[in-house]
Amino acid sequence: MGRYRVRVATGNFAFSGSTNQVQLWLVGLHAEVELGLRLRPARGQMEDFEVDVSEDLGPLQFVKLRKIHLLIKDAWFCNHITVWVFEQSVEEKEIVFPCYRWVEGDSIICLPETTAWMIRNESQGLFQKHQEEELKARRTLYGWTSWKKGIPLSVAAASEKDLPLDARFHEEKKVDFERTRVVGVTEIALKRLYTFLGSWNSLEDYDQIFWGGKSALAKRVRLSWKDDDFFGYQFLNGVNPTLLRKSSSLPTRLLIPPGTEDLKAQLERKLQEGCLYEVDFSLLAGIQANVIQGERQYLAAPLLMLKMEPDGKLLPMVIQIQLPSSDSPVPPLFLPSDPSLTWLLAKAWVKNSDFQLHELQAHLLKTHLMAEVFAVATMRCLPGMHPIFKLLMPHLRYTLEINTRARTKLISNGGFFDQAVNTGGGGHLEVLRRATTCLTYRSLCPPDDLADRGLLGVPSAFYAHDAVRLWDIISRYVQGIVQLHYLEDELVQNDPELQAWCREITEIGLCKAQERGFPVSFQSRDELCHFVTMCIFTCTAQHSAVNQGQVPLGHHKEQYFSGPGPQAVLNRFQEDLHTLEREIVARNESLDLPYEYLKPSRIENSITI
């Protein structure tokens, strides 16, 4: 018995309201009651009402809702429902029931309260039954498929229209995405038209297409792209900082031709001094180049050796364009002392190879496809009341649609890669397969990856510094939430949904990746925190480092958790991000070329582009 005040909050984006009526129930541990109301939720509105209930419901467990239509089915996006309980001699109590999804059809939807996972063992099996029914329905909606053999599995959807509505772009995101696409295509078309009747006779003629939206960094690239120190800088702090590593020995593929003993001596001296670095593109060796407009393209598989100067500059020493072969002459080596255009062309081949591995390995595989595996496994294995589900959901938003669009328009047969990129026509798929075979768990965790590559503590490695700082900040955030919900390691070990989620990612989504270090179970809170930190870092900071995006990290609108504990953890997370932001701004003021890819205000909350 008692009085209840109920608030229904509707999403604030286009078409989130509904002309259909909504029916509500309150479900307690002892009984449930139908509220006898018929709401018509409006976009961006919160509707409040009070009801008196004569029955003793006991502690509230769920809100149930159903959307009723007469002629037209009009989906409704429900943010959350909040209930205040008024009882004699008991202080008013607020209970939040998060939803953050589309309500479709006529079926009844059950929303457990935010702390349901903490009290699930006191609910006489109500929550357990709800979890089982929820996951059964989700496994039907979110299936796996093998898009191409040898790469991680993807969501079973032939196009974005086949995705569940909750995985689709909201209307504003859809409009923004299409606007950006149209502007980009239009600019390319105009530049093509502008240069169609002329010919390019010098490198300066490229200025004819260097107009339109230009950032300060783009202008700097245009001025400095020929410079050796800027060339080296890009492997430390450019859009693909994932390939550079400190040399522990001279690479076996680096054959020194007779008469160049001085070069070998220089390399060995730098190796002994601990300042020799390398970038090896062997992954591209033997890949069949694309045919574009009837002409066979070319691909290189270079090796680049660099030296770190005392002032922090990373300078190229030698470039080998192709791997040695037993049936071919020793491949030539290109040096900074070569004629300027010869050396510039050698560097251009390195950057062409860097583009291939940046887009296919660092960007597509290690962020987009990994995030898709996390997303599908999460929807199939973790119920909405699970703390790890709540922790991850803001970082998985829109990823399934952007990846599905990529498979139908970007890397598909006849897509952008086939039309314009020299690994297109099937070569890009072979690169993805090779990259997948060498994808390790450690390579996705910056403290491990950067240590393995010898880049920790390098003063001019700003990506490395910022990535480790962000990893630590995200890790503290994850630890805060995990420790609130798992008081000891045994609770992690005995969580069946959590263990199923881990196996789903490693054995199914990543096709038995335990041989590459991915876990198949969690035995401690530390192991769980490390893995979840990797998931969030991959979907946020790492994607930002290789492809700047749109949504601020740590400032999602969805409130899946409630109560002072989770809010304090989130507040600390946001404060840590603000502190790092100030540190990066202060550091960048003294730099000739600021590094901003991992500035928290520029890191998106999920992979959406």
Side-chain angles (χ1 to χ4, degrees), residues 78-110:
C78 175
N79 277 352
H80 55 82
I81 295 174
T82 307
V83 178
W84 288 267
V85 182
F86 302 88
E87 295 177 338
Q88 293 181 349
S89 72
V90 177
E91 186 177 345
E92 175 184 341
K93 181 181 180 182
E94 178 185 283
I95 307 173
V96 181
F97 301 84
C99 184
Y100 300 108
R101 55 181 164 136
W102 289 100
V103 180
E104 303 178 85
D106 299 325
S107 59
I108 293 176
I109 292 178
C110 295

Side-chain angles (χ1 to χ4, degrees), residues 31-300:
E32 68 177 72
V33 61
E34 199 269 312
L35 299 185
L37 297 169
R38 296 292 187 272
L39 304 176
R40 281 193 170 86
R43 171 188 175 182
Q45 297 299 308
M46 293 188 181
E47 302 182 57
D48 289 45
F49 55 90
E50 292 188 2
V51 293
D52 291 311
V53 176
S54 59
E55 299 176 67
D56 179 14
L57 301 182
L60 287 185
Q61 311 283 291
F62 296 94
V63 165
K64 294 200 303 189
L65 55 88
R66 177 170 63 185
K67 188 173 63 62
I68 304 170
H69 76 279
L70 295 177
L71 297 176
I72 300 175
K73 292 184 178 181
D74 188 12
W76 165 47
F77 192 90
C78 175
N79 277 352
H80 55 82
I81 295 174
T82 307
V83 178
W84 288 267
V85 182
F86 302 88
E87 295 177 338
Q88 293 181 349
S89 72
V90 177
E91 186 177 345
E92 175 184 341
K93 181 181 180 182
E94 178 185 283
I95 307 173
V96 181
F97 301 84
C99 184
Y100 300 108
R101 55 181 164 136
W102 289 100
V103 180
E104 303 178 85
D106 299 325
S107 59
I108 293 176
I109 292 178
C110 295
L111 304 179
E113 60 121 330
T114 49
T115 64
W117 196 84
M118 303 285 284
I119 61 172
R120 63 196 186 284
N121 295 329
E122 306 168 13
S123 65
Q124 299 177 1
L126 286 176
F127 290 131
Q128 182 63 32
K129 181 181 178 183
H130 166 73
Q131 289 183 164
E132 293 170 356
E133 293 175 350
E134 181 184 22
L135 290 179
K136 181 179 179 181
R138 290 234 218 98
R139 290 187 187 110
T140 301
L141 289 173
Y142 296 89
W144 292 107
T145 191
S146 176
W147 181 67
K148 298 292 181 182
K149 186 177 180 181
I151 64 175
L153 300 188
S154 57
V155 67
S159 75
E160 64 269 20
K161 296 178 182 179
D162 297 326
L163 292 169
L165 193 56
D166 287 323
R168 298 293 310 278
F169 288 167
H170 290 167
E171 194 62 28
E172 282 85 351
K173 170 63 181 175
K174 188 185 303 181
V175 170
D176 179 70
F177 181 86
E178 290 300 328
R179 182 191 301 117
T180 302
R181 185 186 66 83
V182 169
V183 168
V185 170
T186 301
E187 182 175 332
I188 291 174
L190 289 174
K191 290 178 178 179
R192 180 176 176 82
L193 180 64
Y194 180 74
T195 60
F196 182 72
L197 297 178
S199 60
W200 295 357
N201 301 309
S202 69
L203 293 175
E204 285 68 30
D205 287 344
Y206 278 92
D207 287 334
Q208 297 179 65
I209 60 170
F210 191 70
W211 51 266
K214 297 188 292 290
S215 65
L217 178 59
K219 293 177 182 177
R220 175 60 185 272
V221 171
R222 178 66 189 93
L223 293 174
S224 306
W225 70 280
K226 299 178 186 178
D227 300 343
D228 281 1
D229 58 343
F230 184 67
F231 176 77
Y233 172 92
Q234 293 177 73
F235 293 99
L236 271 176
N237 304 310
V239 293
N240 187 14
T242 66
L243 298 176
L244 181 72
R245 64 175 54 247
K246 192 173 186 178
S247 300
S248 57
S249 61
L250 292 185
T252 56
R253 64 170 284 185
L254 183 64
L255 302 183
I256 306 296
T260 57
E261 288 76 12
D262 287 348
L263 172 63
K264 185 175 182 181
Q266 292 177 39
L267 291 169
E268 289 178 339
R269 184 169 63 251
K270 293 300 178 183
L271 179 66
Q272 294 301 318
E273 293 172 357
C275 56
L276 185 66
Y277 293 80
E278 64 190 72
V279 183
D280 193 341
F281 296 91
S282 295
L283 201 69
L284 296 171
I287 297 293
Q288 179 70 55
N290 197 7
V291 175
I292 300 177
Q293 296 182 353
E295 292 190 14
R296 174 68 67 183
Q297 305 299 300
Y298 299 92
L299 274 172

Side-chain angles (χ1 to χ4, degrees), residues 360-386:
L360 294 170
Q361 184 180 36
H363 184 196
L364 179 58
L365 174 63
K366 296 178 76 171
T367 63
H368 278 262
L369 299 188
M370 287 302 302
E372 183 166 7
V373 169
F374 304 153
V376 177
T378 298
M379 298 308 292
R380 289 175 58 84
C381 298
L382 297 180
M385 59 189 277
H386 199 285

